[in-house]
Amino acid sequence: MSKFSYLIGLVLLCNMNLTAQSGYPKKIVQFGWDYPTISYIKEHIKDMEKRPFDGVAYSFDFKIYDLFDTTLYPEKIFQFDDLKNLRWKKFTANFIRVRAQSLTGANWMNDHAWENIVMNVRNISKALEVSGANGIFFDPEYYYHHLPEKNPWIYNKDIYQGMSYEEVGNYVRKRGVQFIYALEYYKPDPELLCFYLMSLVTLQARQKPISQTGMALYPFFVEGMIAGKNVHTNIIDGNELAFSYNSERQYAFSGEEIRKWGVDMMPDSLKEVYHQTSIAQPVFFDLVYGTFPQYNKGYTKNQKNNWLAFDLYYACKVSDKYVWFYNSKIDWWRKENKELEGVINKVRTRLRNEFNLAGDSVAGQSSVIDYLTGNKIGESQFRYSFNSLSNTINVDFSTDDITDFFIFKNSRMITTVKNPGRKLNMVLGGQFKKENLILISKNKSHQYSFSFVD
């Protein structure tokens, strides 16, 4: 057995795609510089759905939509008729791209400007509803770098005429509420797949006071969205920090880490609501394959393929619902990428086969995998069995030096056991049949070992 085939498992070597009909709950959404427009999708929808994804982030014909654009656009710009006539079959996880910027800034204190912004966002809500799209792919990054003073997230007393950080924040929070209300206007259950929520803010705030960071006002906007959303709206942290992940530990614990960062920056009244935030995970094609000089690590093609398979597998395992496949220097829609599709499809088939294992009981052992070779690293720290009818987990540890045993459900830690000894028997609260459980042990040397339960 080759090293790569070990990583992807004993799977059927065929080009079967993982569709909604297979029962596997995680969805892979493609997003990149090759983004299609609505008119392109109209003409090529059948060919697009041959690609190894469950959906795509796309744009209106006239541009990628800038959220803070104060132009009041006519309804025809939003292409309701075109969207209404799209006949998606395999792609069931589709998003409209929205960037949080404009050439005139965010106009936080300008009520008239926000009347136009709200009307436009209502039309985006209608576009979601008529097309059956899941929601918006929300990019908070500012791209008009030639106009730094128009960056919506920076705070400067000169820009805001002496207003304090908190005074400006009150306006930003209000606009966050208005935005989410408008997005729910026609579609009461939109999903906001955000590149990131509070992680970048937290990292910047470790270096300087938050009011002096490049994302100073963003927390107020997130707070407004969280406070204003209804119970059906799903705000998702896309964890852009995961672009460079290459270990199981980074993936498994990332959801708890970035969710805690956000909770710590919320007021007490919103901490519990924020803690319910969903986590998505990205896979960054260009970093893995070194398509930019700064990313090139000199890896062989097999090593790159192994890394992609590793990233995609673990991203799916620890995400709550979505994985987004981000790419710059590749075009999925206007050319074929057979070798790359083969890598993706093999991982997808492995995921489907694991999820659809017959029987109520499953057993296995822990391991750590090298992301470049697919080889196991070190010794297994435990063996386990799980019965989905009784929700019972039995674990036998290989040594006495296990200090912590963690159980996750997708991105969320559900329990931790300190110093479990050589045997552990426990009943989980709730129902976990056909749900993804992750078992993790840590020993006194701070070495981790992992197993995924389906």
Side-chain angles (χ1 to χ4, degrees):
M1 181 183 294
S2 70
K3 294 176 181 178
F4 179 57
S5 62
Y6 174 78
L7 177 64
I8 61 172
L10 296 173
V11 297
L12 299 174
L13 300 180
C14 62
N15 271 351
M16 296 181 66
N17 284 324
L18 195 62
T19 65
Q21 286 74 27
S22 73
Y24 187 72
K26 311 296 179 68
K27 306 298 179 185
I28 303 174
V29 181
Q30 190 275 341
F31 160 71
W33 292 8
D34 55 348
Y35 66 91
T37 62
I38 293 169
S39 289
Y40 184 88
I41 295 171
K42 273 179 56 182
E43 299 298 322
H44 302 90
I45 189 168
K46 290 183 179 179
D47 288 334
M48 288 180 65
E49 292 194 312
K50 295 176 183 177
R51 301 294 180 255
F53 304 110
D54 300 292
V56 62
Y58 61 89
S59 170
F60 297 106
D61 283 3
F62 76 111
K63 67 173 183 176
I64 303 172
Y65 190 76
D66 287 348
L67 170 60
F68 304 129
D69 189 339
T70 59
T71 306
L72 183 58
Y73 288 104
E75 286 196 356
K76 65 179 181 181
I77 285 290
F78 297 93
Q79 298 176 262
F80 298 137
D81 289 339
D82 290 337
L83 289 168
K84 192 183 305 181
N85 291 318
L86 292 181
R87 295 292 180 263
W88 297 109
K89 293 181 180 178
K90 174 177 172 286
F91 280 14
T92 58
N94 303 302
F95 294 82
I96 295 175
R97 292 186 62 181
V98 174
R99 300 189 299 197
Q101 63 177 25
S102 83
L103 289 169
T104 63
N107 296 283
W108 300 123
M109 277 74 76
N110 188 330
D111 287 339
H112 175 70
W114 267 85
E115 287 176 5
N116 290 350
I117 292 170
V118 164
M119 291 303 297
N120 289 333
V121 175
R122 285 184 180 181
N123 277 324
I124 291 176
S125 177
K126 186 174 181 179
L128 296 177
E129 181 63 20
V130 301
S131 67
N134 301 57
I136 62 171
F137 207 86
F138 185 76
D139 182 0
E141 187 173 345
Y142 182 67
Y143 293 99
Y144 294 132
H145 299 300
H146 64 293
L147 295 171
E149 74 280 3
K150 300 301 181 183
N151 185 333
W153 309 126
I154 61 172
Y155 166 73
N156 185 301
K157 284 187 177 180
D158 293 334
I159 296 175
Y160 292 107
Q161 301 177 346
M163 294 177 66
S164 71
Y165 175 62
E166 289 73 18
E167 287 173 329
V168 178
N170 288 334
Y171 280 95
V172 179
R173 187 186 298 109
K174 172 184 174 182
R175 303 312 182 189
V177 173
Q178 287 181 278
F179 163 67
I180 205 70
Y181 281 177
L183 194 66
E184 295 170 346
Y185 193 81
Y186 290 100
K187 183 175 175 60
D189 59 347
E191 296 190 285
L192 283 74
L193 208 174
C194 307
F195 283 29
Y196 53 85
L197 284 179
M198 305 300 287
S199 55
L200 182 58
V201 185
T202 304
L203 293 179
Q204 291 182 357
R206 293 174 185 174
Q207 308 300 319
K208 60 180 71 173
I210 189 171
S211 62
Q212 298 175 20
T213 68
M215 299 296 295
L217 296 173
Y218 183 53
F220 295 109
F221 194 78
V222 173
E223 185 181 332
M225 291 194 298
I226 297 290
K229 78 180 192 69
N230 67 44
V231 295
H232 305 293
T233 295
N234 188 19
I235 297 179
I236 306 165
D237 191 326
N239 191 22
E240 189 174 333
L241 296 180
F243 276 175
S244 60
Y245 283 2
N246 57 18
S247 74
E248 291 101 330
R249 194 216 171 280
Q250 288 172 302
Y251 277 111
F253 286 89
S254 62
E256 284 294 301
E257 289 171 351
I258 63 175
R259 195 182 284 114
K260 181 182 183 304
W261 294 347
V263 167
D264 288 346
M265 300 189 78
M266 290 290 109
D268 290 344
S269 61
L270 293 179
K271 289 185 184 298
E272 182 57 35
V273 179
Y274 193 98
H275 194 260
Q276 302 307 313
T277 301
S278 297
I279 305 296
Q281 299 287 351
V283 173
F284 187 11
F285 165 82
D286 295 274
L287 187 144
V288 172
Y289 284 85
T291 62
F292 291 87
Q294 65 267 33
Y295 300 149
N296 189 351
K297 301 179 183 295
Y299 292 156
T300 66
K301 181 173 286 189
N302 282 341
Q303 288 174 323
K304 294 173 183 177
N305 288 344
N306 286 345
W307 189 4
L308 178 67
F310 179 97
D311 275 2
L312 186 59
Y313 180 81
Y314 287 102
C316 284
K317 284 295 189 180
V318 307
S319 71
D320 289 313
K321 184 176 181 180
Y322 297 112
V323 169
W324 50 292
F325 189 104
Y326 174 56
N327 55 265
S328 300
K329 291 192 173 183
I330 191 172
D331 192 330
W332 280 103
W333 315 120
R334 298 160 188 86
K335 61 178 292 188
E336 292 185 337
N337 303 282
K338 289 294 188 182
E339 181 177 4
L340 189 57
E341 288 192 28
V343 174
I344 295 172
N345 278 324
K346 287 176 182 178
V347 175
R348 289 164 66 87
T349 304
R350 179 189 177 186
L351 290 165
R352 182 192 59 209
N353 287 349
E354 290 175 352
F355 183 77
N356 289 314
L357 285 173
D360 300 316
S361 297
V362 62
Q365 64 179 353
S366 68
S367 65
V368 177
I369 302 298
D370 183 277
Y371 74 105
L372 291 180
T373 67
N375 287 337
K376 289 183 179 180
I377 305 172
E379 299 296 324
S380 173
Q381 291 185 8
F382 63 86
R383 292 181 175 274
Y384 74 90
S385 63
F386 172 67
N387 185 286
S388 62
L389 294 180
S390 62
N391 274 337
T392 303
I393 287 182
N394 301 306
V395 186
D396 293 312
F397 297 97
S398 59
T399 67
D400 294 312
D401 69 343
I402 303 300
T403 60
D404 299 272
F405 185 67
F406 309 93
I407 302 178
F408 283 77
K409 178 182 177 182
N410 298 324
S411 75
R412 195 175 299 276
M413 188 186 298
I414 58 176
T415 192
T416 303
V417 180
K418 291 285 186 181
N419 302 310
R422 294 297 293 263
K423 287 185 177 293
L424 176 66
N425 303 300
M426 62 186 305
V427 177
L428 300 178
Q431 176 56 256
F432 296 96
K433 186 175 182 180
K434 290 301 182 187
E435 296 286 351
N436 190 56
L437 291 179
I438 307 169
L439 311 181
I440 306 171
S441 61
K442 184 179 77 170
N443 64 19
K444 290 179 180 177
S445 300
H446 297 280
Q447 296 170 326
Y448 291 82
S449 196
F450 303 81
S451 190
F452 296 94
V453 183
D454 280 302

